Amino acid sequence: DERTLMLDAMRRGMDLVNGLHEFLTEDPEFVAVAAEHGVTISDVRKPAAKRDLHMFSGRIASVTCPRIAVLGTDSAIGKRTTATILTAALNEAGIRAVMVSTGQTGLIQGGRYGVALDAIPCQFCSGEMEHAVVEAFTHEQPDVIIIEGQGALSHPAYLTSAYILRGSRPQAVVLQHAPKRNRLSDFGTLKTPTAASEINLIETFADTKVIGLTINHENMDDGEVTDAITTYEAELGIPVTDALTRPASNLVDMVLGALP
């Protein structure tokens, strides 16, 4: 049914933007219809040929501006949203910031720099992450680089957070957490880690510092968000905010407090 729908769209003159791991540019029927009707197919997740992929080289040391990764305690928890808001807020405050995307959705939404990490052979993931950050720094000369997180470092189904930490070597991390989420997204038998345990894991795994916590307010009312902010600030000793329901300036203050 999906193939029929997409082929009909192409015959009506519509381009396809494909975020799947199945690459439509390798499907003979799709290629033929695209050529016949003069439309394009963009396989966002399709990696470059192996000869064009990058190994980790150490060039990340040439990036002299701070790098901040927005990681989380689960997948689908709001890391990309918070990273996008943080990048915009920093720019509005006169701090030139650029975001590096690490998944297909960020790239589809217009990310100029980045790579869909989960489609890259693991040997090249750290290198591709490094290359994307170096490219953003070289072309934009920003004051700070924000790196979108994927999955969670503790999550058994995803390795992408590890590659982000290894390849981009961020000096700081903002952690996204959903206080009311008790089970991992799509893995109902597994408990969501606590914010404190994830912070300990991140700071043990990498030479970095978690500088703030951002709340995903799913299943929470505004009063509960306020209580969570107060509780986590007391428990963790770092600034806490909600990127969507609290002023974006809180995110800027979080960064400036840690990286004056």
Side-chain angles (χ1 to χ4, degrees), residues 79-233:
K79 297 179 291 291
R80 185 185 68 256
T81 299
T82 292
T84 302
I85 294 172
L86 172 57
T87 303
L90 288 168
N91 279 298
E92 289 170 7
I95 301 166
R96 182 164 171 74
V98 62
M99 178 173 155
V100 173
S101 299
T102 55
Q104 75 281 3
T105 305
L107 296 172
I108 288 171
Q109 290 179 340
R112 184 174 179 184
Y113 303 100
V115 58
L117 272 181
D118 66 0
I120 302 293
C122 62
Q123 183 72 37
F124 300 99
C125 284
S126 292
E128 283 294 295
M129 186 76 258
E130 176 189 48
H131 177 73
V133 173
V134 170
E135 185 180 40
F137 177 71
T138 302
H139 292 171
E140 303 293 337
Q141 292 295 302
D143 298 317
V144 62
I145 294 174
I146 306 300
I147 300 137
E148 174 199 7
Q150 294 293 323
L153 186 58
S154 61
H155 203 302
Y158 306 111
L159 293 174
T160 36
S161 288
Y163 296 127
I164 289 167
L165 287 166
R166 287 290 184 253
S168 69
R169 299 180 64 81
Q171 293 93 337
V173 169
V174 172
L175 184 68
Q176 180 92 1
H177 181 61
K180 289 293 186 77
R181 188 181 295 191
N182 298 317
R183 301 286 170 174
L184 292 179
S185 174
D186 297 328
F187 295 88
T189 61
L190 302 176
K191 291 183 178 180
T192 304
T194 66
S197 69
E198 194 73 18
I199 290 170
N200 180 63
L201 180 61
I202 290 168
E203 293 182 347
T204 301
F205 181 78
D207 183 15
T208 192
K209 182 71 175 175
V210 176
I211 63 171
L213 186 77
T214 48
I215 297 294
N216 176 324
H217 59 256
E218 63 185 22
N219 302 316
M220 301 173 71
D221 60 31
D222 194 70
E224 289 174 317
V225 172
T226 298
D227 291 343
I229 289 172
T230 302
T231 299
Y232 282 118
E233 285 187 335

Side-chain angles (χ1 to χ4, degrees), residues 67-83:
R67 302 175 297 280
I68 303 172
V70 180
L71 304 182
T73 53
D74 194 5
S75 61
I77 204 167
K79 297 179 291 291
R80 185 185 68 256
T81 299
T82 292

